[in-house]
Amino acid sequence: MNAKLSIIVPCYNEEESIEMFYDAMEKIKKQMPLNFEYWFIDDGSTDHSLKTMRKLNRQDKNVHYLSFSKNFGKEAALYAGLQHATGDYVTVMDVDLQDPPELLPEMYHLLVSKRLDCVGTRRTTRTGEPKLRSFFAKTFYKLINSISNVKMVDGARDYRLMNRSMVNAVLQLCEFNRFSKGIFEWVGFKTEYIPFENQERQAGTTSWSFWKLFNYSIDGIINFSEIPLDIASIVGALTCLGSILTLIFIVIRALCFGDSVNGWPSLVSFILFLGGIQLLCLGIIGKYIGKIFLETKRRPIYLIKESDAYEL
Ligand code: UDP
Ligand code: MG
């Protein structure tokens, strides 16, 4: 009996890509000594994605789907997929074929031959991506790697093949604010990356706007580093030291040269500067408190409205 591979595919308004993806995967299946099980996650799509999933499910009993009650985001979809997957191996893939299915046999071979727990993929190029987006992505990786204990690989995609023990480990991290790139690194396990050239989307459009990505990277930093809080304290300490030195200078000047009312513009700038720093630090602390607030509410990460796997 062959081992089973669960394929998790988050989909948000992807009616054009789902069947294309399924066909491409069925071709790859022939080259692998594994049984496939698909988990399509409809992340609150407003197009006909769910219909397509239902159709594939009727055609092939190895195709399963979960449909969320609204858009919960890709991270929630990934988590739902991991929870439902029953395979000995699990892979996570984008439906737009930007994660090339052709790499899968090579990934599986590497995983088995080197006895790894996970084989990830890493883009070596970013062709076809807006220049500004690439620049910010690069800056984000530099920043997060310098301020977090969890090292994130530049260009690493969520596309990866994991064995059961690693999947079970990832599932133990049931936090509400999920940042998979960090979670996959945080759990450890033996991982290697296969480099590949960036692929352009085959159909549909990306649902990540610049702001969505910007917020996502801030989430990554807040979730995996406490350095911003340290920076707030250090800046506070330095301004304190600065003000003490200024005070000493003013006292000595007043003693030596007498008091003068000159200098109110510098006083105003000092006050504004301090006010600014205080607000900035409050903002940083607020970000963390916001995350704590969401985490303590213990809301479910996703809600399922329809699935072939069980009656709701
Ligand atoms: N996706 C999702 N929920 C969302 C946004 C995206 O499930 O809120 C899915 C999307 O359907 C795709 C994958 O996540 O399969 C990656 O999204 P996309 O291709 O838009 O991102 P990009 O490749 O441009 O980073
Ligand atoms: Mg994509």
Side-chain angles (χ1 to χ4, degrees):
M1 194 37 194
N2 281 344
K4 193 182 348 173
L5 168 69
S6 302
I7 301 149
I8 298 170
V9 201
C11 305
Y12 179 52
N13 293 339
E14 303 276 10
E15 58 182 7
E16 296 155 66
S17 307
I18 295 173
E19 278 180 289
M20 211 161 63
F21 172 84
Y22 174 75
D23 293 341
M25 289 302 287
E26 285 296 290
K27 280 197 197 114
I28 295 298
K29 188 168 145 181
K30 299 197 180 94
Q31 305 167 24
M32 295 181 78
L34 293 171
N35 291 328
F36 278 14
E37 169 197 67
Y38 297 88
W39 281 98
F40 287 100
I41 324 291
D42 165 32
D43 186 12
S45 303
T46 46
D47 65 355
H48 296 300
S49 296
L50 179 58
K51 255 192 194 160
T52 319
M53 291 176 195
R54 284 195 202 113
K55 193 177 124 201
L56 284 177
N57 168 253
R58 280 195 299 272
Q59 287 169 6
D60 180 351
K61 63 173 180 13
N62 295 317
V63 173
H64 302 286
Y65 63 87
L66 302 170
S67 178
F68 287 175
S69 60
K70 67 167 182 114
N71 180 248
F72 281 92
K74 185 184 170 186
E75 294 290 342
L78 281 185
Y79 187 64
L82 289 177
Q83 275 189 326
H84 286 80
T86 59
D88 309 288
Y89 301 98
V90 176
T91 181
V92 172
M93 296 175 84
D94 280 10
V95 72
D96 54 15
L97 293 176
Q98 275 189 299
D99 296 333
E102 309 83 72
L103 283 182
L104 211 52
E106 191 188 332
M107 287 159 77
Y108 177 66
H109 180 72
L110 196 65
L111 189 94
V112 175
S113 62
K114 284 198 166 177
R115 290 171 162 265
L116 301 171
D117 299 297
C118 173
V119 175
T121 56
R122 189 169 62 81
R123 287 191 294 184
T124 48
T125 53
R126 287 180 176 272
T127 37
E129 198 182 68
K131 286 261 176 319
L132 196 68
R133 186 169 156 174
S134 304
F135 170 75
F136 276 103
K138 285 222 162 71
T139 316
F140 166 72
Y141 281 108
K142 271 200 199 124
L143 185 69
I144 188 95
N145 283 330
S146 55
I147 63 173
S148 169
N149 296 330
V150 178
K151 294 289 163 255
M152 295 183 205
V153 179
D154 185 4
R157 295 204 41 104
D158 288 338
Y159 181 24
R160 54 184 61 230
L161 181 68
M162 294 173 274
N163 64 12
R164 189 33 63 186
S165 38
M166 173 141 171
V167 173
N168 288 345
V170 171
L171 283 174
Q172 282 182 43
L173 277 81
C174 43
E175 57 217 60
F176 182 79
N177 298 289
R178 301 189 72 76
F179 188 73
S180 286
K181 283 186 202 318
I183 290 177
F184 289 140
E185 296 300 329
W186 188 89
V187 293
F189 289 87
K190 262 169 90 178
T191 305
E192 276 191 21
Y193 286 90
I194 293 186
F196 74 101
E197 302 251 316
N198 189 38
Q199 309 281 316
E200 296 208 23
R201 211 175 217 285
Q202 294 298 310
T205 47
T206 175
S207 39
W208 292 88
S209 65
F210 183 77
W211 271 116
K212 236 176 145 181
L213 273 175
F214 181 74
N215 280 325
Y216 184 62
S217 46
I218 298 281
D219 272 358
I221 292 173
I222 302 285
N223 281 326
F224 281 93
S225 172
E226 281 150 33
I227 296 277
L229 287 173
D230 296 342
I231 292 176
S233 328
I234 291 169
V235 170
L238 286 179
T239 10
C240 249
L241 189 73
S243 57
I244 291 171
L245 291 178
T246 322
L247 195 73
I248 294 172
F249 169 74
I250 289 169
V251 169
I252 292 176
R253 195 179 63 171
L255 288 177
C256 300
F257 305 104
D259 204 2
S260 86
V261 282
N262 282 344
W264 66 267
S266 52
L267 193 66
V268 170
S269 14
F270 261 132
I271 292 172
L272 287 181
F273 176 65
L274 276 182
I277 287 181
Q278 280 169 351
L279 285 180
L280 177 77
C281 295
L282 265 184
I284 295 175
I285 296 167
K287 265 278 176 206
Y288 283 86
I289 294 181
K291 294 282 171 202
I292 300 170
F293 179 55
L294 283 175
E295 216 58 72
T296 51
K297 284 203 250 189
R298 302 208 131 266
R299 282 193 183 156
I301 295 172
Y302 60 87
L303 292 170
I304 296 174
K305 152 180 111 228
E306 185 188 323
S307 169
D308 71 299
Y310 33 70
E311 292 290 319
L312 288 156

